[in-house]
Structure formats: structure tokens, C-alpha cells
Amino acid sequence: MPELPEVAGLRAFLDAKLRGTVLAKVQITSFAVLKTADPPYAVLEGRTVDGVRRFGKFLCLDLDGVHFVFHLAKAGWLRFTEDPSPAPLRPGAGPIAARLAFSARRTESSDGGGFLMGFDLTEAGSKKSLAVYVVRDPQEVAGIASLGPDPLAPEFTREVFDGILSAAQQIKGLLRSQSVVAGIGNAYSDEILHAARISPFAIAKTLDGDSRDRLFAAIGGILGQAVESAVGKAPGELKDSKRTTMRVHGRTGQQCPVCGDTVREVSFADTALQYCPGCQTNGKILADRRTSRFLK
């Protein structure tokens, strides 16, 4: 799943490529992906791209007062091209959910002439969660309106963070809650907790001052470095870049690069987390959550 750093990389890439161009043609091939009806998506055609913004894991193209917002969900991605095909897409055929093509000038033509570049929104697998919204204000999207603070924004202070940590909730789940902190998902929460040397099942409000200091620093450090690495890369490079920077996430059975212990995994119904016992749990191995207990 793309998280804050990858979405930040996509935002920077799209803003540099699309700002000032005209959205000449929009095709929605999977109407299940379109979550809004007013305004209709056809009103986007002929509008100039004023910029691209990020809200947590959401991306928003600003188009003369109307906004094309999308969330890539678990298996979605963006495929960019500088040679978009003018051929119409067949609904329901293949992984493409939406296609946008851009030109350098305002046009009412729909024949594909003058297209400079474009992108497809794609989604792998049978479970479809990718979402597209066409709105007059991004805050009309419920997922954006309910977002917590952005962890890389100046407003995300230690005082704000201490308020978040007052919850009687496992820290892993708290970090992933978009209404609490915007943009952190499964992968980066694993990496942040490893860097902070905190168990994923620690209860937030029980963390002492030193643990809170380490966790606050790890959020800024891990995400900041990942964003720095992502910005400037094309969409096709972002996934591999993310994988190569992970120390524990997705590395079950491998050696922890910090202490040398074996990276372990806890499985859930539809996801899993990774952690290092040596760095995070004083050597204890956490039981698979499907057993609902710790190994002794």
C-alpha cells in the first residue's frame, strides 16, 4: 500500500509534470471506483491543472475550482506515460480503473489529438478498494475531512503528539489510524517502531518519557528520509525504492541490521506486521495474533 512518502513522491512528480496543462480527456472504466456523482466527472475536461496536493494518502488534482481526488488503497498504483493512447478503454477490461490524458492547451476535442501525457490508475487483485472523487472542495471527501495531523507538518509538535499518546490503545494500531495521524500505514509503522525500539503491542499511554522521545524522533526521521528519497523519482521507481529502505517490514526471517536477531512476524486475517525481538521486545517472541496470546 502506498503510504505518505510514496504519495508525497507521486505528488511532487505529478505537480512538476502536470501543472499548467489541460485535462483533455477522462475515462472511468470501473464505475465502482467513482464515489461521487455531483459534479459529474465530465466537467473536468478542458480545465487547467492549477497544482497537485497531498492529504495523508490522498492525492488531489486542482482543476479550476474542481478537484479530482484519488486514494490508491492497498493494491492501487499510478502508471504515467508521455504517449497516452487515444483509443477508448473497455469498461471492466483489465486492471485500469481510470485514465486521464492532458494537453498543452484548452480543447473540447475528444479524439486524442494533442495529448502530451497522461496516467492510468490501476488496481491489482480481485478486491477493489481504489477510490476516485470529483468534488468542489477536498473536504467533501469524508476520508480527508476526518484525517488527523500530518506527521511532517510544523503543527505536529511534541505537545500534539503527547495528546495522541494518551490513548489506551496499542501503539501499532494508533499510528496506523488515519484519524489520529495522517499517512502512516503498515510498513512505515513497523519501521518507526523498530527505530524507536518499541513493541508494536505496547499501550500508548503507558510509554515513558524516553520512549516518547524516541518515537517522536523516529516518526520525523523515518518519514522525512523516505520522503527525501521518494521525491524526484518517477512512479515506476517508487515501489522498489521503498522496499530497499525497509529494515524489518517485509523481511521476516532475515537478520536485523541493527542487532543481528531474526526479524519475526505476527499475522492477522488480512495483513501482518514485522518486528525485531532483540530491538523491540527484550528478546520476547510475540505470538501470532490469531492465537490472541503471547508466547511465554
Side-chain angles (χ1 to χ4, degrees):
M1 176 185 290
E3 300 181 31
L4 186 158
E6 294 76 50
V7 178
L10 289 173
R11 188 218 67 81
F13 178 87
L14 292 176
D15 190 72
K17 291 285 188 179
L18 300 180
R19 184 183 287 266
T21 63
V22 172
L23 179 51
K25 189 174 181 64
V26 181
Q27 297 182 72
I28 304 292
T29 62
S30 170
F31 285 96
V33 79
L34 184 62
K35 307 303 181 184
T36 55
D38 181 26
Y41 72 87
V43 305
L44 297 169
E45 294 182 355
R47 293 176 180 265
T48 301
V49 179
D50 296 323
V52 183
R53 290 187 281 170
R54 178 184 65 80
F55 300 90
K57 300 178 190 177
F58 291 84
L59 279 171
C60 172
L61 274 64
D62 297 345
L63 294 141
D64 288 342
V66 182
H67 307 271
F68 180 87
V69 178
F70 60 95
H71 189 292
L72 294 170
K74 188 173 183 178
W77 196 242
L78 183 147
R79 187 167 63 197
F80 186 85
T81 178
E82 294 187 347
D83 185 25
S85 171
L89 295 170
R90 288 185 299 152
I96 300 174
R99 172 170 288 173
L100 282 68
F102 300 83
S103 67
R105 61 189 183 279
R106 291 186 180 275
T107 178
E108 295 181 356
S109 171
S110 61
D111 63 2
F115 291 172
L116 287 180
M117 61 193 75
F119 66 78
D120 295 338
L121 297 180
T122 66
E123 188 169 22
S126 58
K127 185 177 180 180
K128 304 299 184 182
S129 303
L130 190 150
V132 168
Y133 310 81
V134 179
V135 293
R136 296 178 181 87
D137 184 338
Q139 294 300 318
E140 294 175 25
V141 179
I144 291 178
S146 64
L147 285 174
D150 191 292
L152 294 182
E155 296 79 16
F156 191 75
T157 63
R158 175 58 192 273
E159 182 179 8
V160 169
F161 187 56
D162 280 340
I164 290 170
L165 293 180
S166 65
Q169 184 178 343
Q170 288 178 345
I171 191 61
K172 167 78 176 181
L174 192 68
L175 290 177
R176 291 188 63 191
S177 175
Q178 299 304 293
S179 63
V180 176
V181 183
I184 301 174
N186 193 36
Y188 285 102
S189 57
D190 281 351
E191 294 299 300
I192 288 166
L193 291 170
H194 176 255
R197 307 194 302 279
I198 294 173
S199 168
F201 297 139
I203 303 302
K205 71 175 187 178
T206 67
L207 296 176
D208 60 27
D210 287 344
S211 296
R212 292 174 179 229
D213 287 341
R214 295 195 306 271
L215 186 55
F216 185 70
I219 290 172
I222 294 292
L223 295 179
Q225 290 172 15
V227 169
E228 184 177 352
S229 175
V231 170
K233 288 185 170 63
E237 301 173 329
L238 285 171
K239 289 184 179 181
D240 287 339
S241 175
K242 176 181 179 179
R243 293 188 189 101
T244 59
T245 62
M246 296 286 145
R247 291 187 169 189
V248 291
H249 183 78
R251 299 190 179 278
T252 303
Q254 298 181 32
Q255 188 177 63
C256 170
V258 175
C259 74
D261 203 346
T262 301
V263 174
R264 305 280 182 159
E265 178 175 299
V266 176
S267 299
F268 301 88
D270 59 353
T271 188
L273 65 83
Q274 287 82 42
Y275 70 100
C276 170
C279 292
Q280 295 174 255
T281 60
N282 294 319
K284 290 184 178 180
I285 298 174
L286 305 178
D288 192 303
R289 286 289 84 190
R290 290 171 295 188
T291 66
S292 300
R293 62 183 177 82
F294 289 101
L295 289 175
K296 299 297 185 181

